[in-house]
Amino acid sequence: MSQKKRQIRKKYRKKSNNFSITTILFLGIAIYLSVHTIGYLTKEKVRIFEVEAAEKYSSSPTYTGVISREETIYTTENAGYINYYIREGKKASVGNTVYTLDQTGQFANMLADTLGDIQSLSKENLKKIKEDMIRFSSSFDPMYFKEIYDEKNNLSVSLIDSLNMTALENLGHTVDTSSFQKISTDKSGLIVYRSDNYEGIQPEEVTLKTFDKKNYSSTVYQAGELREANSFAYKLVKDDTWTITFPLSEEDMLSYNDKTKLSIYLKDIDVTTTGNFSTFKASDGTTMGKIELIKYGSSYCESRFVDFTITEKDVYGIKVPKTSVVSKSFYTIPKEYITKGGNNNKQGVNKEVIDSNGNTTIVFVPVSIFETTDTEYYIDSSEIQSGDVLIRADSQDKYQISVSAPLDGVYNANKGYSIFRRVEILAETKDKEYYIVSPSTKYGIEPYDHIVLNSEFVVENQSLY
């Protein structure tokens, strides 16, 4: 009898242990589900916004602004006849030859002989001269008749420089330049062969007197001239980044004082772009507006003044919520470093790779292009980082990646995961809830696309559904 009782107790204890483990297991599952359910219910949901068709909005006056940018003057180390190797306004990479100094004048004589054989200018040179004439005629002020003589001098210099560049191309590599001093640039940037008395001017230094053209002077330098030591050689403009400073009226202040971005139309080059906007009091008490731009500076690297229109009241574009817009940094590289390769003949770059043994190889890396300017591409790739050295196709030219620039964009949700798409902000709505963006941005969005409404809770390539 006692043995039977012990068996009963033993069985009872076993059932008790099973019950206890099962209870704990189900309790753990319940807690897990509860936590995740609460987390799901309280978590900010990824919301989607459907882009509508473009609409037309309304416009504003024309302004003249003073241009500020990062620019450096380079001077000659020795005396000699100067001859340029890069056309004004073009971008030079590190190590490119900008000019030569010829102390004997022999090279100048050879150029002069070659000039006699030139029958016509290239289409590119003719186009540049035509653009200079159109730009001058559109901004000419009859109150300053002296500008006609200045422009005549500018055109003469442009013509002579174009002829010299054509002569240099005709000479090609047949000239032994070992007896000449070849000067290369130690930085990349836009080459300019003119200077003025406003170099290095900062927005905060601009006053109403700055806009009086009686106070402004500029000098255009040409190839073939005899330069003294330590005289002007060339100016290097760092990149497309530039700032426009202009006076604001009381009416302007009412319209734009609370805005952080403004869209402007640049008539000279027929483009609309957007920059960060702010206001400040100049030293003479004038209220000034300041627009900071990251594009199209190369088109104005030879200019100090720019005419533009604020397109706030006349905008045709796509409306997107401000909460959809994010800023992302991209590397900028010269256009000539993009090539095609790989198994699918994709766009990419040739990257120099050095292994632990010091051996160098060239690797093709596909990249995504998100923006393009006159001289550069904005690229992105997980295999590219700052400090990498790119090799130009069919050349030994190198470019070290160092410059990054932000682009505005939204996350496209059409495929079920977030994909960054570029947007160009033209203006903002009166209720300040939406941006109006360009309907024709390359690599951008289109009407009826689905985009992420609350982009701050999303990262690129995140699954959305």
Side-chain angles (χ1 to χ4, degrees), residues 25-60:
L25 180 61
F26 276 102
L27 183 60
I29 293 173
I31 293 173
Y32 175 82
L33 291 175
S34 298
V35 169
H36 279 267
T37 301
I38 293 171
Y40 175 79
L41 294 175
T42 57
K43 180 182 177 181
E44 183 70 31
K45 304 293 187 304
V46 175
R47 291 176 288 169
I48 304 300
F49 177 85
E50 184 176 87
V51 177
E52 299 176 352
E55 297 181 14
K56 190 174 182 180
Y57 293 80
S58 75
S59 154
S60 86

Side-chain angles (χ1 to χ4, degrees), residues 360-375:
T360 301
T361 56
I362 306 301
V363 178
F364 176 79
V365 178
V367 298
S368 297
I369 298 175
F370 285 86
E371 178 60 298
T372 178
T373 68
D374 293 340
T375 59

Side-chain angles (χ1 to χ4, degrees), residues 293-394:
L293 300 166
I294 61 172
K295 293 177 60 177
Y296 306 115
S298 56
S299 298
Y300 291 90
C301 64
E302 303 163 21
S303 306
R304 185 60 62 186
F305 297 95
V306 56
D307 293 330
F308 64 96
T309 302
I310 298 176
T311 61
E312 181 69 18
K313 300 175 184 177
D314 189 11
V315 180
Y316 179 81
I318 298 172
K319 184 172 71 173
V320 298
K322 284 188 174 182
T323 55
S324 294
V325 178
V326 295
S327 182
K328 181 179 176 180
S329 290
F330 296 88
Y331 292 118
T332 60
I333 66 169
K335 281 186 171 181
E336 54 266 29
Y337 283 83
I338 289 289
T339 185
K340 289 189 176 182
N343 296 330
N344 298 320
N345 201 30
K346 292 183 177 180
Q347 285 186 317
V349 294
N350 293 323
K351 185 175 76 169
E352 182 181 75
V353 177
I354 302 176
D355 62 23
S356 57
N357 296 322
N359 298 319
T360 301
T361 56
I362 306 301
V363 178
F364 176 79
V365 178
V367 298
S368 297
I369 298 175
F370 285 86
E371 178 60 298
T372 178
T373 68
D374 293 340
T375 59
E376 295 178 319
Y377 284 123
Y378 287 63
I379 66 166
D380 187 36
S381 171
S382 60
E383 300 179 54
I384 293 292
Q385 59 185 359
S386 181
D388 284 346
V389 174
L390 306 183
I391 308 297
R392 183 177 175 179
D394 302 323

Side-chain angles (χ1 to χ4, degrees), residues 87 115 118 120-122 124-126 128-129 155-169 223:
R87 284 185 174 83
L115 283 170
I118 298 175
S120 62
L121 293 174
S122 67
E124 182 181 1
N125 291 331
L126 289 172
K128 184 181 185 306
I129 293 173
L155 290 174
S156 297
V157 170
S158 294
L159 178 60
I160 293 171
D161 283 348
S162 296
L163 289 169
N164 275 335
M165 292 302 299
T166 303
L168 281 169
E169 291 171 358

